[in-house]
Amino acid sequence: MRPTIARFSDMPGPKVYNLWWGDKTGVPQKGLITYTLSPYQSKAMPKWFSSYLFNGVRRLSGEFLFFAIPFAVGYGTYSWAKGYDAYLNSKEGHLAHAEEH
């Protein structure tokens, strides 16, 4: 009696053309095209710094107003509120607004 091998046993699920991972006993599939690139020809980031220096700065400058204006409004509000709070908590602010407490 032959021992049962996993790839020849009745696995759950429908019978499909794809084999189990690592199984090399099946018929090779037809119509698959594989493209490869030589490791000597591929470069992970060719000229990335000079490309970013020109193209990246150009793209960021086009978006400058979309993040500069909200930042300026937010920072202006923050600095005004911080200064106003410091004034209200100072001796001069307490004397000026003493009747409101």
Side-chain angles (χ1 to χ4, degrees), residues 2 5 10-11 27-28 35 40 43 47 62 68 74 78 87 97:
R2 251 177 61 182
I5 300 174
D10 293 328
M11 293 292 177
V27 180
Y35 297 99
Y40 299 107
K43 295 177 183 171
K47 304 177 186 174
Y78 170 77
Y87 166 72
H97 298 283

Side-chain angles (χ1 to χ4, degrees), residues 45-100:
M45 296 174 63
K47 304 177 186 174
W48 70 271
F49 185 72
S50 64
S51 173
Y52 175 76
L53 191 62
F54 297 110
N55 191 31
V57 170
R58 179 188 59 82
R59 291 177 67 188
L60 282 176
S61 65
E63 302 294 326
F64 180 74
L65 292 178
F66 294 110
F67 64 85
I69 292 174
F71 178 79
V73 169
Y75 183 75
T77 304
Y78 170 77
S79 63
W80 170 81
K82 189 167 174 130
Y84 188 67
D85 181 60
Y87 166 72
L88 288 179
N89 289 326
S90 68
K91 186 174 183 179
E92 183 182 351
H94 283 290
L95 291 175
H97 298 283
E99 65 276 352
E100 293 180 13

